[in-house]
């Protein structure tokens, strides 16, 4: 089992940057693909990015490609989502999640989830 804890959310102005972190418990962190999703009230959870077990492969939603960078440090059981050039439409609760398969953008494919961290981008 993996427990995930996100941090790094907050309030930022349009064009600003934030770095989200997700720390995992357990010794099998490197066995999981990690994804970031986001959700706003009344909408379905939306795929943002994913990173492979070693970190060599990444995938991004078109809406964040070129602005967000996903990385991982397996020695620290941590992944990072660097978010630059933020827009008001990036405002959401952001969740990290763990899956066993690559490459999937479906929330249903992710077995473990964190509690979320709020990102708010003001215009």
């Amino acid at each position: 089992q993996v427990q995930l804890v996100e941090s790094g959310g907050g309030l930022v102005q349009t064009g600003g940057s934030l770095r989200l972190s997700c720390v995992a418990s357990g010794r099998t962190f490197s066995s999981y693909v990690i994804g970031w999703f986001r959700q706003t009230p009344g909408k379905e959870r939306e795929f943002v990015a994913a990173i492979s077990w070693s970190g060599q492969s990444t995938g991004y939603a078109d809406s964040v490609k070129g602005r967000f960078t996903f990385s991982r440090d397996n020695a620290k059981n941590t992944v990072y989502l660097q978010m630059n050039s933020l827009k008001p439409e990036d405002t959401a609760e952001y969740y990290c999640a763990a899956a066993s398969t690559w490459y999937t953008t479906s929330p249903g494919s992710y077995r473990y989830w964190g509690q979320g961290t709020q990102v708010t981008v003001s215009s």
Side-chain angles (χ1 to χ4, degrees), residues 52-92:
S52 63
W53 305 269
S54 65
Q56 286 188 329
S57 297
T58 54
Y60 300 92
D62 288 343
S63 59
V64 307
K65 201 171 293 183
R67 300 188 297 122
F68 290 12
T69 302
F70 199 175
S71 61
R72 73 188 292 165
D73 185 341
N74 285 340
K76 295 183 179 180
N77 280 12
T78 303
V79 297
Y80 306 97
L81 185 68
Q82 179 66 44
M83 307 188 296
N84 298 329
S85 302
L86 283 162
K87 305 174 182 180
E89 50 264 45
D90 294 318
T91 295

Side-chain angles (χ1 to χ4, degrees), residues 4-7 21 45 93-96 113-118:
L4 304 169
V5 179
E6 305 95 335
S7 63
S21 299
R45 198 160 291 189
E93 188 83 6
Y94 282 72
Y95 300 87
C96 67
W113 291 83
Q115 83 291 345
T117 185
Q118 177 67 36

